[in-house]
Amino acid sequence: MAKIGPSLMCADMGNLKDSVNRLDNGKVDFYHFDVMDGSFVPNFTMGPDMIKTLRPYSATPFDVHLMIQEPERYIDLFADAGADMISVHAEATIHLQRTLQSIRNRGLKAGVALNPSTPLNVLDYVWDTVDYVVLMTVNPGFAGQKFIPLTFDKIAQLKELITQKGLDIEIQVDGNISYDTIPKVLEKGADMLVCGTSSLFKKDKSLEQALVELHDFLN
Ligand code: DX5
Ligand code: ZN
């Protein structure tokens, strides 16, 4: 069953606690926090204090996507803030295996995030230290972008590798996950959907209505 993960960078920043409460009432599987440093990606979003602030208001898993250079510097900071799972970009850390191990050492789930053009073979020597893989289906940094079609096959190839190796690794897809792209990413093997402006945070629909429609569409 596909997991729904609201991308909180797309939520109403002035009413985040209210949005999280309303989303919890409508049932979601994880919250996706996009952290950006203006260097790895040309944008800034939220930091550890946002996570710390929201932590007491929800028991739903907090998934922190670090779109930052040298993420190894900040694993403890985000773990202390209340993250349950942290993904780091393979392109942003020289010592990927050590960084993933440091996430696991904090008792969190460790994820590797890959930009659309990054090949899957960067995973070759970390399969035993990964709990989930984030496949960027847009170039990271902004909401509202268009899905990159070649990533469909990348999802299928990753699913094939995971199945062949008999691994318990989830595939998270992040970027323009919409009513058009959801059927295909699921067919290719995606497990976790990062839901932003393309499926959940709509100008013309309440959060409750959009979430009910998304649940109906997935069932
Ligand atoms: C890209 C962002 C977006 C966002 C989802 O870095 O991570 O994927 O969460 O927003 P939409 O649905 O507009 O792509
Ligand atoms: Zn993300």
Side-chain angles (χ1 to χ4, degrees), residues 74-84 86 103 106 108:
Y74 301 118
I75 302 306
D76 285 331
L77 189 64
F78 285 96
D80 293 343
D84 296 290
I86 297 178
I103 296 169
R106 286 299 306 259
L108 277 58

Side-chain angles (χ1 to χ4, degrees), residues 99-120:
T99 304
L100 293 168
Q101 194 54 60
S102 72
I103 296 169
R104 281 201 166 162
N105 291 347
R106 286 299 306 259
L108 277 58
K109 281 189 174 179
V112 183
L114 303 180
N115 289 335
S117 62
T118 301
L120 292 172

Side-chain angles (χ1 to χ4, degrees), residues 29 69 72 85 92 98 112 141 218:
D29 300 289
Q69 297 289 12
E72 57 274 15
M85 38 203 297
R98 184 167 68 192
V112 183
L218 291 172

Side-chain angles (χ1 to χ4, degrees), residues 6-10 32 34 36 41 65 67 136-146 173-178 194-200:
S7 172
L8 292 182
M9 74 176 269
C10 304
H32 188 78
D34 281 314
M36 302 180 189
V41 292
H65 177 192
M67 284 171 270
M136 291 308 301
T137 45
V138 298
N139 289 303
F142 299 92
Q145 299 179 92
K146 277 278 146 259
V173 287
D174 184 357
N176 193 217
I177 300 305
S178 67
V194 174
C195 301
T197 64
S198 313
S199 51
L200 195 53

